Amino acid sequence: MPNNRTWIPYLLILPSVAFLALLFVVPLVQTIWLAVSDNGTPSLTNVQRMVGDLNFTRSVQNTFLLTLAVVPVQIVIALAMGTMVAKVAAGRETILWIWTIPLGISDLAAGLVWLSILQNSGYLNSFLYGLGIIERQASWLSYQTPFPLFLGIAAAEIWRGTAIVMVVIVAGLNQVPKEYREAAEIFGAGPWTRFFRITLPLIRPALQSALILRTVLAFEVFAVVYALGGRNFPVLVGEAYNWQNQNQNYGVAAAYAVLIMLVSLAATMFYLKAIKVDPERLP
Amino acid sequence: MSTARAANFVSSRRILLWSGIAVLCAWVLAPIYLVALGAFGGRSAVYLWPKTGLPTGLSLEPFLLFLRTEGVLGSFLNSLGAAAITVALSLLLGAPAGYALARYNFHGKDSFRLMVLLTRAFPLAILALPLTVSFIRLGLYDTVTGVGLVHTVLALPFAVLVTQGIFLGVPRELEEAAWVFGCSRIQAFFKIVAPLALPGIAATAVFAFVISWNEVFAASVLTVRNRTLTAYLLTVLAESPMHYRFAGGLMLILPSVVFIFAVRRYLFAIWGISSK
């Protein structure tokens, strides 16, 4: 490229830089300021109100437990999907398409889908009744049944969110040269050894991406929970929504938002450190 | 004898593999099928007990009734409008940036890439909270445009990274050849690069659409009367009957499934690039 046109790339990125500055950086700063100020002066009133709120501890616990339960399962299912589909020749495209369908489904829709299964006269109860396990319609999504409600929400989240992990991991697997695994096989490595010693280390970048993406999304969980349990299962984003919309208190809502961002950022840092990706070895 | 046993061993592994695949396919498809039964079955199907999972007494009527409910059609159009704005803006702003990242080396390239990647570490929809205040001041609160702007924040980083990958896939030599033959840069771009990149850019557009179509939080916070379909469903959730909820769920699902089908070829290529 000739050097006398050095301004061209800047001109090309300018619109997106300006846009992100206005609608990403500015609101980010505003959220932080809203959270740690009261009537324009620095104050921790909002943070104190958030921490003192009845639902605070429960929403923190619920969000973390859900993330801890959902993300590892999604990674395992996605790895299973990736290794299975690699062994298939005919029908591979169709199978992959079916597995990616949930990618286009919103968390609200996923919640409504699982509501049709888990509601009192729904398919789960019909199934259990047919097997003779329950005698009348059991209720799974109420305030009195926190554990089944948790499992139901986790199932809906796993159902919806595994697709994105699978796509990232399959994309990573596609970039691993076949020769590595073949060489390992010649030297006598069994399938499990090949998986843990060759494949898994080589898809580290994809794994890291998938973990970051899914964990941030899991901390953002909201509509699935709302569709299935209403306010019976408080989560962080749901609380932010309620403080803003029902209570009209933007400060406490912002405090929740900052907490969610801090947790997401900490998780991202953790993954970046824990799963070291050598840039030279990127495929 | 031993070869027979080996063959048995191989075929039992095949069976295991295919049953695993079948189970996972059913896991994805069965819930969609069941919610569709709920959407087309109406009130009677919802309270039918015990259910069999077989399609009985289905008709289009319950779903059409839902479509005619006040607010549904309007929110559907609002969703389309917000998604259209998101698609247009994220491509208009994102594609040039993607092109710059693919073709030029410049100071600040790494910081720009970092800024784009960093957006991934933040739950972006949360940023809609302070924007309500600014949007009220600017007259953007409770408008489809406002929702579209926030959805663009979600889709733009994605559009930048994906279009970068797409432009990297168009050989630079072709573009240089066009310059030699007297095309200006802009002519070369529109005559050579754009047609080759078009399918990938269309796929990016579909993704931006799906991102906006599915977003719930920002749309709910930023609108009161001009709700998108997701925001509308969220706010009427508690008071709407079960079969309306299922109809709403199905209505949210159908377009996205069609669009994911349209871009299925690009899914893996795109995520291979943007996961780096």
Side-chain angles (χ1 to χ4, degrees):
Chain A
M1 296 280 158
N3 284 329
N4 56 354
R5 301 260 188 119
T6 47
W7 50 269
I8 292 180
Y10 295 105
L11 189 72
L12 292 172
I13 65 165
L14 185 69
S16 48
V17 171
F19 188 88
L20 286 177
L22 269 178
L23 280 128
F24 169 54
V25 181
V26 170
L28 189 67
V29 175
Q30 279 179 329
T31 311
I32 296 168
W33 175 243
L34 262 174
V36 297
S37 70
D38 189 33
N39 286 323
T41 49
S43 144
L44 288 177
T45 323
N46 291 323
V47 179
Q48 280 160 355
R49 276 192 81 174
M50 170 180 80
V51 176
D53 184 56
L54 199 64
N55 275 338
F56 176 74
T57 319
R58 284 183 64 208
S59 64
V60 173
Q61 276 175 356
N62 287 344
T63 309
F64 270 88
L65 282 176
L66 203 59
T67 307
L68 282 175
V70 162
V71 175
V73 176
Q74 290 179 325
I75 299 282
V76 170
I77 296 180
L79 279 170
M81 286 172 158
T83 35
M84 278 176 168
V85 86
K87 295 196 178 108
V88 172
R92 192 184 138 94
E93 296 291 310
T94 317
I95 295 165
L96 280 176
W97 177 63
I98 291 173
W99 287 348
T100 47
I101 286 175
L103 195 67
I105 294 175
S106 69
D107 44 353
L108 180 60
L112 294 169
V113 165
W114 280 81
L115 185 67
S116 76
I117 296 171
L118 298 172
Q119 55 127 338
N120 290 358
S121 60
Y123 295 96
L124 178 68
N125 275 343
S126 300
F127 182 67
L128 294 177
Y129 177 81
L131 291 179
I133 294 174
I134 54 168
E135 284 172 13
R136 66 181 78 87
Q137 297 179 8
S139 131
W140 304 111
L141 305 171
S142 79
Y143 190 77
Q144 285 94 349
T145 55
F147 188 62
L149 177 60
F150 174 82
L151 287 184
I153 293 167
E157 267 292 283
I158 292 167
W159 179 73
R160 178 187 71 94
T162 304
I164 184 66
V165 185
M166 191 273 287
V167 169
V168 174
I169 281 177
V170 168
L173 284 170
N174 284 345
Q175 288 166 344
V176 175
K178 249 202 187 102
E179 292 77 19
Y180 289 16
R181 257 169 292 168
E182 285 167 2
E185 200 172 355
I186 291 168
F187 285 110
W192 287 103
T193 318
R194 289 204 299 275
F195 178 74
F196 281 106
R197 304 292 291 269
I198 310 283
T199 311
L200 216 49
L202 280 170
I203 59 164
R204 262 188 198 170
L207 219 50
Q208 190 186 56
S209 284
L211 278 167
I212 292 175
L213 219 84
R214 258 319 304 175
T215 307
V216 172
L217 286 173
F219 286 135
E220 234 182 316
V221 66
F222 163 56
V224 166
V225 178
Y226 215 79
L228 281 172
R231 292 193 66 184
N232 292 337
F233 188 86
V235 286
L236 290 172
V237 175
E239 291 307 301
Y241 176 79
N242 288 329
W243 276 97
Q244 174 108 352
N245 274 30
Q246 259 87 53
N247 307 355
Q248 295 285 319
N249 188 326
Y250 292 18
V252 180
Y256 271 105
V258 170
L259 180 66
I260 296 158
M261 286 197 253
L262 286 178
V263 174
S264 304
L265 211 56
T268 306
M269 295 298 200
F270 170 77
Y271 289 131
L272 289 177
K273 281 258 183 292
I275 312 170
K276 285 221 173 63
V277 175
D278 185 355
E280 311 234 316
R281 278 180 47 196
L282 276 180
Chain B
M1 178 78 189
S2 74
T3 49
R5 199 178 291 159
N8 259 336
F9 179 67
V10 168
S11 71
S12 70
R13 284 188 65 160
R14 294 301 289 180
I15 291 168
L16 201 68
L17 173 71
W18 279 101
S19 40
I21 289 173
V23 166
L24 286 168
C25 286
W27 157 253
V28 170
L29 293 177
I32 299 177
Y33 165 73
L34 294 177
V35 82
L37 289 188
F40 293 118
R43 182 181 293 277
S44 53
V46 168
Y47 295 108
L48 185 76
W49 171 264
K51 289 186 173 39
T52 54
L54 296 172
T56 43
L58 297 190
S59 79
L60 272 176
E61 203 49 46
F63 194 69
L64 294 175
L65 208 64
F66 165 75
L67 289 182
R68 283 197 294 267
T69 309
E70 197 192 333
V72 171
L73 192 66
S75 62
F76 175 78
L77 294 176
N78 286 337
S79 268
L80 286 182
I85 292 170
T86 308
V87 169
L89 273 181
S90 51
L91 283 186
L92 226 57
L93 303 173
Y99 185 76
L101 286 177
R103 283 289 191 268
Y104 294 91
N105 273 317
F106 53 94
H107 281 290
K109 181 176 176 175
D110 288 336
S111 351
F112 177 65
R113 258 187 72 90
L114 191 71
M115 176 181 172
V116 171
L117 284 171
L118 206 84
T119 53
R120 223 196 256 179
F122 289 95
L124 292 174
I126 293 283
L127 298 176
L129 293 172
L131 285 174
T132 50
V133 184
S134 339
F135 277 13
I136 289 170
R137 209 177 301 145
L138 295 168
L140 285 169
Y141 183 70
D142 202 15
T143 63
V144 170
T145 317
V147 176
L149 283 173
V150 176
H151 287 176
T152 306
V153 186
L154 298 167
L156 178 61
F158 180 81
V160 172
L161 293 176
V162 172
T163 49
Q164 175 198 5
I166 288 159
F167 288 127
L168 277 173
V170 177
R172 185 186 288 239
E173 291 74 22
L174 287 179
E175 211 175 341
E176 282 168 350
W179 299 346
V180 171
F181 286 113
C183 278
S184 73
R185 265 161 200 271
I186 293 174
Q187 279 174 327
F189 179 83
F190 281 104
K191 284 190 176 156
I192 309 293
V193 183
L196 287 171
L198 204 61
I201 289 178
T204 317
V206 170
F207 274 106
F209 182 94
V210 172
I211 288 173
S212 170
W213 178 260
N214 282 339
E215 203 281 328
V216 188
F217 185 83
S220 311
V221 167
L222 289 174
T223 55
V224 181
R225 277 169 301 145
N226 295 311
R227 298 206 180 271
T228 64
L229 189 58
T230 50
Y232 169 81
L233 287 173
L234 189 82
T235 38
V236 300
L237 207 59
E239 57 258 31
S240 46
M242 279 289 176
H243 58 284
Y244 272 35
R245 300 190 210 181
F246 302 148
L250 189 68
M251 194 170 167
L252 282 176
I253 289 175
L254 288 178
S256 343
V257 170
V258 172
F259 284 128
I260 292 294
F261 182 73
V263 294
R264 63 196 185 286
R265 278 183 50 225
Y266 289 91
L267 279 170
F268 297 94
I270 280 174
W271 282 101
I273 297 153
S274 62
S275 69
K276 269 185 210 165

